Amino acid sequence: MTSPGNLRRSVIQLYKELQYMGREYPAGADFFQTRCKAAFLKNRHETDPEKIQMLIDRGRFVQKEIEALYSLRKYRAMKQRYYDQDEMDLHSKKIENFVKQL
């Protein structure tokens, strides 16, 4: 069981990390930050340590999902830079034909 001080520290750290990550959110930093703040304010009166830990774990999951979203966005941008659209269409058709054969 973690102490209330450690839980508080974890919540504050998670909030700061999410706010920092939200600067590059595709829908805009303001959109992300207001939604994030609302989610934290909604649960600010929670006192049960187990429930708080569950909420922290959910926040960590959201953090990982956002990291995955950013990685996918970077991958797509790099793919567009280095591959010609005709070449991508050709590869897509080859993949579709291969899948049909299965």
Side-chain angles (χ1 to χ4, degrees):
M1 185 65 75
T2 44
S3 69
N6 288 339
L7 287 175
R8 178 176 167 78
R9 220 172 297 129
S10 296
V11 169
I12 292 171
Q13 180 184 6
L14 176 64
Y15 182 75
K16 287 180 179 182
E17 289 172 2
L18 286 171
Q19 289 292 331
Y20 180 78
M21 291 178 74
R23 295 182 312 156
E24 297 179 28
Y25 196 71
D30 291 336
F31 172 79
F32 182 84
Q33 290 174 350
T34 54
R35 298 279 304 262
C36 182
K37 183 175 182 179
F40 275 81
L41 288 177
K42 183 177 87 172
N43 296 306
R44 72 178 174 184
H45 296 296
E46 190 62 51
T47 56
D48 182 24
E50 292 176 8
K51 175 82 183 220
I52 293 171
Q53 187 61 49
M54 185 188 74
L55 292 168
I56 290 171
D57 293 341
R58 184 185 305 162
R60 294 285 178 213
F61 174 76
V62 169
Q63 188 177 26
K64 289 178 183 175
E65 289 293 314
I66 293 169
E67 288 173 0
L69 175 73
Y70 291 165
S71 296
L72 180 62
R73 186 177 66 180
K74 288 178 184 178
Y75 168 76
R76 286 181 177 165
M78 199 167 29
K79 187 175 176 182
Q80 287 177 351
R81 264 186 236 132
Y82 294 107
Y83 290 104
D84 186 25
Q85 185 62 35
D86 295 332
E87 187 178 336
M88 287 175 52
D89 292 339
L90 179 66
H91 289 298
S92 296
K93 288 179 184 178
K94 286 182 181 179
I95 292 171
E96 287 174 11
N97 289 336
F98 179 75
V99 170
K100 286 179 185 177
Q101 291 175 357
L102 295 177

